[in-house]
Amino acid sequence: MVDAGQAARVRAHLEAARQLYNAILSEGQKRLRCLRADPAWQHARALPPSQRSERAAAFAAVLKAHGFTEAGLHQAVKGLRVGWIAEHIEAVLAQTLATRAYRALNRVCLGQARRVRFKSRGRGFSSIENKRNDTGLRFVLQSPEEGNGGQLLWNGDQLPARIDWQDEVAVHGLRHRIKYARLVQRAASSPRAAGADAFGNRYVVQLALEGTPHHKLKHAMGQGVIGGDLGPSTLALVPRQGEASVQVFCAELLPDGCGLRRLQRQMERQRRAGNPEHYEEQGRIKPQGSRKRHWKQSHRYQVTRRRKASRERKLAAHRKSLHGRLVHQVCAQGSTIIIEKISYKAWQRQYGKSVGLRAPGMFVDRLRRTVASTGGILVEVPTRTTALSQWCHGCGRKVKKPLSQRWHHCACGVGPVQRDLYSAFLAAYLDPADPIPSCAQYQAYWEGAEVRLGAAHERLIQRAKERQDLPRSLGITRARARLPESPEEPLQESAVVLWQARLKAWDEPLDPPPL
């Protein structure tokens, strides 16, 4: 909890950190441009990859010559941390900012990113961390005799922390040595929210601790190998021992799309009313070229934007909770998980709406961390060499299937079987050391696995008959998922026959009246 004075000082510290970070990025960009213009850099790039030692030595020499290293930016930040910025940011915090800037610039240097992003004043700077816990930004935990509380110390301020001692995860973590602390600024729903300051921000301290994470007893760890096939909206799991399953990924996540679009339209109307000079008569935004627009934000616009951000924040929290529950369900079935290595950026271009809602890449990252912390292993096999969705273990052929073909049915007698389940089965019995499928490694397991895959598909059909919303990628059409007709009501065939009989009776001529 922070009072009004402490919140104002923390905002001033973060503003100083933002300006210092932007200055380091600007200095790093200058060094990167000089680095790329140096002929020695072009010579190092021209060396063949086979000469690994010579190539690494050439790159290291030119990087050191231009000061484009982490140590070089640490040296440069000493000249930037002057004046009033030095009163807010200590030397150790400045070094962490320099490291953060170097990582962003290095991604551009390696071709992994196009540009770096400077932090604007409106966007703000939401987090800052230290390198150790004995100076500057540090967290101090009281002993049980003193009150069993905690405080974040920074520039003379003592920010008391609220600790839930009933949480076994927090109790387990605070028993270990604190390596460093991180202060995070999060947006609340409004300035009147609990724990928020006058600008609608909450402050959270995150601690990096020694030791291993806490493992709850209710989260059991399985033993065995699991094959998985993750799609933009589905997840198929086939363990070597146990029942197979295919489910909708994050099925409980139901966003209020109409409400979000309504808030977006309201924000656009408010932005247009406050900035009429940026719009044409037809309602389109005027082209400005390279000039930067300055948008005015009314008080009502900021309120609407906070309402929209609050809905998206709740949706993200719900998605994170569903990811965690699903990760523990997967880990309870086995300790070795084999999936295909997928480009989630390509999925964003092709399935943007579904990927943006369910975030499969974030799920895989969390699964990787959880499996590693519990002693398991997550194996990601390349899709080009394995091609599990195109391969048949019966005849050993690879036949390219369109995405609309959701069933695997080969002329050799394998199938029909649901495509995602079949890919997960192939992944379950794949050798991680040699991820190239062969016919011999699947023949001994297919007879028992075919029954399990069929049972999983029958459960899927049952859910469809119960009117559960299923994506089309599961291969179940609406006609096959209809509920059985009620015996009290006329059948569909009898209704059609009755309708045809009425049409026939209408076309027949009437009998003449009797004399």
Side-chain angles (χ1 to χ4, degrees), residues 401-407 419 472 475:
K401 304 183 184 70
L403 291 176
S404 59
Q405 184 177 347
R406 305 311 304 170
W407 292 84
R419 179 173 176 170
R472 291 183 298 175

Side-chain angles (χ1 to χ4, degrees), residues 510-515:
L510 298 175
D511 296 336
L515 298 175

Side-chain angles (χ1 to χ4, degrees), residues 215-443:
H215 180 72
K216 294 183 179 180
L217 296 178
K218 66 178 183 180
H219 296 148
M221 287 300 300
Q223 299 296 329
V225 182
I226 310 173
D229 185 83
L230 179 64
S233 57
T234 58
L235 176 63
L237 297 173
V238 178
R240 292 187 179 180
Q241 300 293 333
E243 64 177 19
S245 64
V246 57
Q247 56 183 311
V248 180
F249 187 54
C250 294
E252 298 88 345
L253 199 62
L254 299 175
D256 185 10
C258 295
L260 288 175
R261 286 193 295 271
R262 192 178 299 111
L263 289 176
Q264 288 175 345
R265 292 195 298 268
Q266 183 180 358
M267 290 172 58
E268 177 61 26
R269 292 193 300 268
Q270 293 170 343
R271 183 165 52 241
R272 186 176 303 180
N275 303 272
E277 66 277 5
H278 294 328
Y279 290 87
E280 297 177 351
E281 295 181 358
Q282 295 84 357
R284 297 187 296 263
I285 298 179
K286 294 180 180 179
Q288 294 285 343
S290 60
R291 293 182 298 174
K292 184 178 180 180
R293 294 188 182 92
H294 296 281
W295 296 89
K296 302 174 185 176
Q297 298 181 358
S298 63
H299 176 71
R300 294 299 305 170
Y301 173 82
Q302 295 177 5
V303 171
T304 308
R305 185 177 63 179
R306 282 197 298 266
R307 288 175 57 194
K308 177 176 174 293
S310 178
R311 291 197 180 189
E312 293 177 345
R313 175 179 54 81
K314 293 178 181 179
L315 184 66
H318 189 195
R319 176 172 55 242
K320 186 177 180 180
S321 175
L322 295 177
H323 282 179
R325 186 177 66 181
L326 186 57
V327 162
H328 290 297
Q329 291 177 0
V330 174
C331 293
Q333 301 182 38
S335 58
T336 303
I337 305 168
I338 303 176
I339 61 174
E340 289 184 321
K341 186 176 180 59
I342 301 170
S343 175
Y344 301 105
K345 290 185 178 180
W347 274 8
Q348 289 177 355
R349 293 189 294 267
Q350 194 169 3
Y351 313 103
K353 190 173 182 180
S354 180
V355 172
L357 175 63
R358 296 178 172 87
M362 294 177 61
F363 167 75
V364 173
D365 287 340
R366 185 160 186 175
L367 179 63
R368 185 184 298 109
R369 293 195 305 268
T370 305
V371 169
S373 65
T374 54
I377 181 174
L378 176 66
V379 182
E380 295 183 84
V381 296
T383 57
R384 292 186 179 273
T385 57
T386 56
L388 298 180
S389 61
Q390 319 292 338
W391 195 75
C392 177
H393 79 277
C395 57
R397 294 187 304 167
K398 290 183 181 180
V399 179
K400 188 172 181 59
K401 304 183 184 70
L403 291 176
S404 59
Q405 184 177 347
R406 305 311 304 170
W407 292 84
H408 176 79
H409 194 186
C410 187
C412 66
V414 176
V417 60
Q418 210 273 341
R419 179 173 176 170
D420 299 337
L421 283 171
Y422 186 66
S423 299
F425 159 74
L426 296 178
Y429 295 95
L430 195 66
D431 186 7
D434 186 18
I436 298 178
S438 62
C439 298
Q441 66 187 111
Y442 295 104
Q443 295 296 341

